[in-house]
Amino acid sequence: MSAGVSFQQIDGVLVVAVPPDLTDTIADAVQSDVLRHVEHHGAGGLVLDVGALDTVDSYVARILSQTAQMARLMGIETVVVAIRPEVAATLVRMGYTLPDIRTALDVEEGIAALRRAEATRR
Amino acid sequence: MNEREIDRHMRVLRLDEAELASRRAFFHLGDDDLAKLAALRPHAEKHSDAVVEKFYELLTGHATTRRFLADESTKRRLRETQRLYFLGLFAGRCDLEYVRERVRIGAAHERIGLDPTWYLGAYRRYLSLMRSMLVSELGLEGALAAFDSLEKLVYFDVALACEAFVSAKASTIERHQAAIRELSTPVIRLHDRVLLLPLVGAVDSRRAMQVMDNLLARISEMRAKVVIVDIAGVPVVDTRVADSLIKATAAVRLLGAQTILTGIGAQIARTMVQLGVELSTMHTRSRLADGIELALSLVGMKIVAQSASEEP
């Protein structure tokens, strides 16, 4: 199934607004939609905007981590942006510090972080 | 006294019609008692000034209670309040409005810092004044019957005033705790997108949680990129404190900001390593000044010395 996620290209970076009310099934669908989009259209980087989520459970946290790892295998760096303060606090209290995920304050900062990462890789 | 505050106490103490009826039943305070007291009103009016006067002799005769009657205007005002209260006992009613006035008394005592001891001691005196009044007006026999009704209403009143006192005390303590919490986690905007959190005093798990929540909220609100946490003022840094610092740093990172830990003196550095606490993933500095320099460099700024020609 498709999650009907809207994709946006900003400066060659694929920006994905993760929809609210993320069930496990929808989370899975978002992941496959995003990866398929990357495969077909390519991208200079991936920004996952989770600002709409007021809770992130362990499953969604794992999906986010995995998506970043999968995108990396396809040669693309990922930044998760706009994690809400209360979500961050809860995640950390549950022991999920998501060490392998790059984070940024918002989409703009996320794109800037990708630019910097790209510059150091070259 | 703020009406909203009285409303609050009424709510906290659940003083509604049902509660009023239940209390009156327990104090055996019937309509017949109220009617009996209302019939005594002319006697009460005749004696009100004298009773209030004698009552004030007690209050001004003791150092503790005298403090609450410092100036003349307070004394005059209280005298009038006291007279109305006295006559109120003989008004023949005991409804929610009556209850509210009793709650007001207890809350007012809490506000001025007059503890129940003084209130109860004064009330004892008050009762004996009223007993003398009843005896002189009704004779021993009549006074005994009337006093029974009066005593019911008085105990009913005293219970309300004491409960309101306790309720007001609890809300005062709550307010103070909120103020302390606020003071204990000040997040300062040091520069554009750079925050400073100076931690002072012991950090227990509850405070650590507040600090983290407050810090995260401020980061998001101020769009901060770097936050300096200075722990020079924390007397004991053990594994638990270190653990909460690590957690806070991880949460800050999830928001997309970075943490710099400063104020790590020799003692803390030794403790951390001896305890096996892994802080190597964090930016750490001993001096706050170095932390500030690092923070500024992370947002692309730099502190430079003024050249000689620019100096004033």
Side-chain angles (χ1 to χ4, degrees):
Chain A
M1 90 175 244
S2 166
V5 182
S6 70
F7 296 106
Q8 223 188 327
Q9 290 273 352
I10 303 177
D11 295 342
V13 171
L14 179 62
V15 179
V16 180
V18 176
D21 309 320
L22 210 55
T23 62
D24 291 358
T25 326
I26 297 178
D28 286 338
V30 169
Q31 183 183 68
S32 57
D33 277 10
V34 168
L35 294 172
R36 241 196 319 265
H37 193 278
V38 169
E39 182 190 328
H40 291 147
H41 306 278
L46 176 61
V47 171
L48 296 175
D49 181 355
V50 297
L53 303 184
D54 49 18
T55 55
V56 171
D57 61 15
S58 57
Y59 190 78
V60 171
R62 199 162 58 236
I63 287 285
L64 290 173
S65 274
Q66 284 178 355
T67 309
Q69 284 174 40
M70 293 164 183
R72 189 170 297 140
L73 285 178
M74 299 168 83
I76 288 162
E77 283 300 309
T78 303
V79 183
V80 175
V81 304
I83 295 180
R84 294 197 196 173
E86 58 275 20
V87 170
T90 311
L91 278 173
V92 167
R93 277 174 198 140
M94 294 192 310
Y96 293 102
T97 56
L98 311 181
D100 44 355
I101 292 185
R102 209 187 288 266
T103 52
L105 194 71
D106 53 24
V107 172
E108 201 181 315
E109 295 279 337
I111 292 172
L114 287 172
R115 290 269 163 280
R116 277 197 304 276
E118 207 177 333
T120 50
R121 218 159 39 151
R122 270 178 195 152
Chain B
M1 176 72 42
N2 187 325
E3 291 306 317
R4 290 234 314 266
E5 208 184 313
I6 305 294
D7 286 341
R8 218 175 83 92
H9 296 315
M10 294 287 284
R11 260 200 321 279
V12 169
L13 298 173
R14 296 199 181 82
L15 292 169
D16 52 17
E17 291 291 353
E19 173 67 14
L20 171 61
S22 153
R23 283 175 183 235
R24 281 187 52 174
F26 190 66
F27 283 89
H28 283 200
L29 180 59
D31 286 338
D32 53 330
D33 291 304
L34 296 176
K36 223 183 283 177
L37 290 169
L40 294 171
R41 172 106 182 179
H43 300 296
E45 271 169 14
K46 197 168 100 190
H47 286 265
S48 68
D49 285 336
V51 167
V52 169
E53 197 52 46
K54 291 227 181 71
F55 181 62
Y56 269 80
E57 278 171 22
L58 170 73
L59 297 187
T60 51
H62 191 286
T64 304
T65 42
R66 193 161 46 226
R67 278 194 296 123
F68 295 97
L69 303 166
D71 58 289
E72 275 309 313
S73 77
T74 309
K75 245 186 272 187
R76 253 200 315 280
R77 196 161 41 77
L78 273 179
R79 222 175 269 256
E80 182 54 20
T81 312
Q82 209 46 246
R83 212 178 64 83
L84 290 175
Y85 175 78
F86 176 66
L87 293 175
L89 293 171
F90 303 95
R93 66 186 186 93
C94 179
D95 48 17
L96 277 182
E97 195 43 47
Y98 182 92
V99 166
R100 192 182 172 83
E101 288 314 306
R102 273 61 202 157
V103 166
R104 187 189 305 277
I105 292 169
H109 287 166
E110 195 277 334
R111 190 166 46 94
I112 63 171
L114 183 71
D115 287 337
T117 300
W118 309 102
Y119 168 69
L120 289 171
Y123 219 122
R124 213 277 326 149
R125 170 74 174 157
Y126 206 54
L127 267 176
S128 97
L129 288 171
M130 289 194 283
R131 191 172 47 217
S132 310
M133 173 195 93
L134 291 175
V135 170
S136 78
E137 288 292 311
L138 308 171
L140 212 51
E141 193 96 342
L144 207 59
F147 194 72
D148 193 49
S149 296
L150 181 64
E151 211 175 37
K152 291 176 188 174
L153 186 59
V154 161
Y155 273 79
F156 176 89
D157 275 25
V158 169
L160 281 171
C162 287
E163 281 182 73
F165 182 92
V166 172
S167 167
K169 186 67 107 192
S171 76
T172 301
I173 292 170
E174 220 167 274
R175 255 200 327 276
H176 290 174
Q177 278 177 338
I180 291 168
R181 273 200 298 277
E182 186 83 358
L183 287 173
S184 66
T185 61
V187 179
I188 301 154
R189 185 174 164 278
L190 199 62
H191 194 273
D192 202 21
R193 312 195 68 181
V194 180
L195 301 180
L196 169 63
L197 170 69
L199 276 181
V200 177
V203 179
D204 58 15
S205 55
R206 190 176 158 189
R207 184 168 175 221
M209 215 180 269
Q210 282 161 7
V211 167
M212 178 162 96
D213 290 342
N214 190 27
L215 180 61
L216 295 175
R218 291 298 300 270
I219 287 172
S220 154
E221 182 185 309
M222 315 279 286
R223 298 175 43 79
K225 285 189 88 157
V226 186
V227 41
I228 301 171
V229 179
D230 187 83
I231 59 168
V234 180
V236 180
V237 179
D238 54 16
T239 36
R240 237 182 317 182
V241 174
D243 183 57
S244 46
L245 289 170
I246 292 168
K247 277 210 175 74
T249 306
V252 167
R253 197 193 67 86
L254 287 179
L255 294 194
Q258 296 187 67
T259 309
I260 299 170
L261 197 59
T262 67
I264 300 182
Q267 185 59 49
I268 295 177
R270 286 178 61 184
T271 315
M272 290 298 96
V273 172
Q274 279 160 4
L275 291 174
V277 175
E278 185 56 64
L279 290 179
S280 61
T281 53
M282 297 167 80
H283 293 294
T284 53
R285 291 290 185 274
S286 179
R287 298 189 318 151
L288 177 59
D290 295 335
I292 292 173
E293 213 164 297
L294 173 60
L296 291 174
S297 82
L298 290 172
V299 293
M301 306 290 286
K302 190 178 173 187
I303 299 174
V304 292
Q306 283 184 341
S307 67
S309 63
E310 280 171 334
E311 268 172 37

